[in-house]
Amino acid sequence: MNLPLSVKALIVVICALISVIVGIVAGVISHKPPAPKGPAFLYGGGVFSGSLTLCLVVLTSLGVL
């Protein structure tokens, strides 16, 4: 696909926002109330990076990016 740069940037921003939501949900689910919040932040960050990588790889393989 021959998409303009602004549309590609918008797609990357949308992927990042979706990944942020997925990371927040994963961090909230993994947090246990008596435990400290640090491991939940790290888990959410890992899920965020994995989700963003997966989203960008799929869009690249489809030829969108």
Side-chain angles (χ1 to χ4, degrees):
M1 290 184 165
N2 291 329
L3 296 174
L5 183 62
S6 59
V7 174
K8 289 181 181 181
L10 182 63
I11 291 172
V12 170
V13 168
I14 290 170
C15 286
L17 290 175
I18 290 171
S19 298
V20 165
I21 292 170
V22 170
I24 289 172
V25 169
V28 167
I29 288 173
S30 72
H31 177 64
K32 310 281 189 285
K37 293 181 179 81
F41 282 123
L42 289 175
Y43 186 77
V47 170
F48 164 75
S49 63
S51 174
L52 183 61
T53 303
L54 180 67
C55 185
L56 292 178
V57 165
V58 167
L59 289 176
T60 303
S61 68
L62 291 175
V64 175
L65 296 181

